[in-house]
Amino acid sequence: MSKAATRVGATPTKRLAEDGGASRLSSSLHSLSLRSPSKSTSTPAFADSSSDICPVCKSSRYLNPNMKFLVNPECYHKMCESCVDRIFSHGPAPCPIAGCKRTLRKAKFRNQTFEDLRVEREVDIRRRVAKILNKTEEDFDTLLNYNNYLETVETTTFNLIYKIDVEATERRLQAFAEVQRAEALSTLPASQASKIRSVSSTQQITDSKQESSTDRVVLKKSAGQRKVPSSSMSTPDPFSGAENGDVDSGFNFHGLKKRVAPEPEKPYDPYGGWSVEPQYFILQDDYDVEWLKHTKDEVKNAAGGYDMKDFYTRALCDAFSGFGVFIDEEMTARDNQASGDAVIGTQTAAAVAAGGRDVHMDDLF
Amino acid sequence: MKFFIDESPVLFPYPRIYPEQYAYMCDLKRTLDAGGHCVLEMPSGTGKTVSLLSLIVAYQQFHPEKRKLIYCSRTMSEIEKALAELKALMKYRTEQLGYEEEFRGLGLTSRKNLCLHPSVKREKSGSVVDARCRSLTAGFVKEKKERGEDVELCVYHDNLDLLEPHNLIPPGVWTLDGMLRYGEQQKQCPYFTARRMMPYCNVIIYSYHYLLDPKIAERVSKELSKDCIVVFDEAHNIDNVCIESLSIDLTEDSLRKATRGVNNLDRKITEMKSTDAEKLQNEYAKLVEGLREAEEARDENAFMANPVLPDDLLKEAVPGNIRRAEHFVAFLKRFIEYLKTRMRVLHVISETPPSFLNHLRELTFIERKPLRFCAERLTSLVRTLELTNIEDFQPLQEVATFATLVATYESGFLLILEPFESETATVPNPVLHFTCLDAAIAIKPVFERFSSVIVTSGTMSPLDMYPRMLNFSTVVQESFTMTLARKSFLPMIVDRGNDQTEVTSQFQNRNDPPVVRNYGTLLIEFCKLTPDGVVVFFPSYLYMESIISMWQGMGILDTVWKYKLILVETPDAQETSLALETYRTACNNGRGAVLLCVARGKVSEGIDFDHHYGRTVLCIGVPFQYTESRILKARLEFLRETYRIRESDFLSFDAMRHAAQCLGRVIRGKDDYGIMVLADRRFGRKITQLPKWIQMGMDAKNDKLSIDQAVGRAKAFLKEMTVPWSRSEQEGMSTWSLEELEKHQAKKKEAIIQGADVRMLEGRAEAMEVVEEDEFGGADIDEVMADLDA
């Protein structure tokens, strides 16, 4: 194992000389990054993908036409599938490429999507950033603010890609993520919130190695808050703010619309809000009238399915349904129209229409 | 001669006029008065260009608002011809009117043809000339010079600044040669003279591309005013021009070059950051504001719309994530890298822009919106960085245009990735075709902006196809025939050989020995009987090669050799022009020659075989497109779904317009004569799709002939043509003098009062009869679909 490592040791520099174009560019990118150039030696000089030789075992596609190359997003060093099997089958091991001391796990190895590994890494970073900074245009009140936000996102991503101020940027991202989560919880209805919270907390635990222990503390805190959801309503989370110290919410974006909690859903109404409340009478439970007594007392009316109330409603409706209908006026209006004097006809009709605003055809059934 | 159409006087530079020319002018005038678009078909060789020009110039001079004429043609030679016609017309007008009108007519062509700079003009390739010219004439180069830096400038271009900006060249009509001569005399650049004088011209003559190709139109034609009269001459291929101008092909090589271009940009930005950071900051500030300046300009209707820069784009600011130069460069890199990834796939993919965008977003987090701004942002960046070697960034520009188009149009475009060049290839050579399926997209701004657009050609049948395909409405659609004193052309359809086997170029039997032998016999017979040149058109290069080799085996070529010199067109332009030259020489001395060429090649489009250069044209097989092409299939589907044009209709329309174009090559005037042979049994059903003037020349007995019958007819026809004949015989019939014209006008007036039909007198084709067909297109469609499946 160590022998192999030393043998490999000479290759990166040789490769650097070979694929001059790509690495010159990468170094120029690093010179952009204002950081000390010593750092750039630790970052891998990405191998030219057109070369079909595994940098670890030196077998080439010529010998093994089915060779597949895998990369690990930890350090983006490329090696063939069989090397991955050989080295990482028995648990985590250091990267076999000389000068790279990162510990890699087999599960994290994957096919590379892009030919250019720099782009591959960039996209990975973007994926992470996009998960946290996920505002859309609708969240902002003006386009300018949205554009400013997009630029901030881009700058943040650039910082991560070209390793400018990584720690500070990471811290800000974490903080922002916290605030976002708290905000999302506060606006969601309680039942959904708890569900999401549990999901997100498990996610948090599984996916983040980078997260500091302080974050875990926060997580526990927020788990504790589950019992009293009302206390988490205040938006800038007081706990995370206190623990992160100087930066409270990571980023400050202007022009963000306040997030409005969606109205709690009402029970389903098949009539869509339309009701048949009687307008001219109020139905009472019972009417103490002489001529009803007989009907009430009759045995057959006590059978199941017969309700005296229906009877009352029917009777009352018969009595009052003519209210609000003025046949006279309607007749005159019709006559006027028929008489041919269109102007007067329309005028009266308009008057009827205007005056009879409260004319209400109360059709109950 | 001078005559009146309605109230406006028209000066026609010849003493006699053809009836159809008069009718053509009447229709043109009707279109201009009504202010709409029109489609006009008039046979080649009947003086389309001169009637167009004389009417429109007369119209311009008669009406006080003097609408500008933009005359678009296809090739350099046609542009030159039109300029010469215009010059002759204006000379005639001056003579007749007795004074010189204030009039400017200019032709515009590429820098390569108009350059005078001693070293630049020697460059061979057009793009190099463009690039070098830009590096000598760009605005910032001049600024640098003024700052005292040592940079080279073009003297010819600089001299223009010393002149009055609206009077760079005296009034008159300037042919391209004339411009060059004048430029040499005055030491001024003809190209920029033409460009800058465009707003002050009455007539501009240039190529389609200056109006249709969005990249060029943006720079050259966007300032043209709304009331211009636009003419597309030789427009039978206009839909293809439209489609080509918006289609982009990306290969691995072009992506590699684009990557190089991005890296160059990156380096330039780093450089500029250290030297002139302020400039980048200024650009940034401007982009924060948005493309508002351009929007204001468009609000005032100053510019023509550009399909690559849709209106709503201008109203918005550039998205924040590509505002900074370095962000934009990384953005481009990511996009190109994504395209490279897509190219690695080893099976054919055809997908719509929305699905492409979805996948793109999933993989690279590139949203649709910044993608739409790509082309505009790149232009702005290149301008800020003051790059002179634009040609290095050509592939990158292409990628950016692709990005913008793919993000702008949800329908009308399709992405097709073909990993292998042919079915049998094993080494991948991927090409990503981004094809425009809708010809209407590119031409839409033209129809929207200009009130009168005239689409005209010798072969436009069926007339309603163009308005449907290009999605515009017409006020006038008309087809004219040629009025002839004697029957001077003989169209025939040969559908079987002497042994009664049918001849066809159908895929299944095109290589059958009897078919090939019969085609060979046809060629031999017509070579025997034709006095001078014979032109033969094949559907494709592939078929031509195979049939020639089979003829060689059968000894047919040896027989032909006895009568005619054999020449063959090749895809190589120079070889073809050499063959053409030899052909002409052979026709000028002795027995003549036979030219074997391809119906969609260079010969069929731009070369005239007038008089003895072409006495017989043989069209061997129906020139269908290569139906296996995925792009064509996609387009057919689109046409069916969007414009309700059936696949078979479009294919046969397309084949017949090319066939007609080939046939039209031999008749170039009224005293010309020639034989036209369509040799395929399938032509029998397609007669109605030929231009009216050919249809009317075709007798009912001539549409189903065997070879020997055709030979008999042709011999009789040629004998008839040898009867001495003078031009005076056609006077009063197919040419009119002024008196005859006036007599006709009086008669027409009378006829209109009486309600009689005057169409035939003017050589108009009779009104289109609507042929009722069953919905499924009868037998024809099966055949075409079978071809599609084959």
Side-chain angles (χ1 to χ4, degrees), chain B residues 138-150:
Chain B
F140 58 85
V141 180
K142 193 146 197 240
E143 276 171 36
K144 268 189 193 162
K145 182 82 175 178
E146 274 159 16
R147 266 182 269 142
E149 285 175 53
D150 185 32

Side-chain angles (χ1 to χ4, degrees), chain B residues 761-780:
Chain B
L761 290 174
E762 291 178 340
R764 285 169 205 258
E766 74 267 46
M768 297 244 266
E769 71 267 46
V770 183
V771 186
E772 275 300 322
E773 265 183 275
D774 65 310
E775 195 186 341
F776 302 103
D780 205 26

Side-chain angles (χ1 to χ4, degrees), chain A residues 25 29 32 112-116 119 122-123 126-127 130 137 143-144 146-148 150-151 154-155 158, chain B residues 263 266 284 288 317-321 323-324 326-327 330 334 337-338 340-341 344 363-365 369:
Chain A
L25 183 86
L29 285 177
L32 246 181
Q112 82 186 71
T113 326
F114 295 98
E115 198 185 333
D116 191 343
V119 176
E122 185 181 336
V123 168
R126 270 175 202 284
R127 186 168 295 131
E137 199 174 336
L143 186 68
L144 182 67
Y146 176 59
N147 281 330
N148 287 338
L150 283 179
E151 192 186 333
E154 200 63 22
T155 317
F158 254 60
Chain B
N263 290 340
D266 203 6
Y284 171 79
V288 172
V318 170
N321 44 4
R323 246 172 5 198
R324 288 205 180 277
E326 61 269 26
H327 292 175
R334 218 155 6 117
E337 213 48 49
Y338 170 77
K340 280 187 186 164
T341 316
R344 288 211 306 261
L363 246 71
T364 58
F365 299 93
K369 204 170 147 202

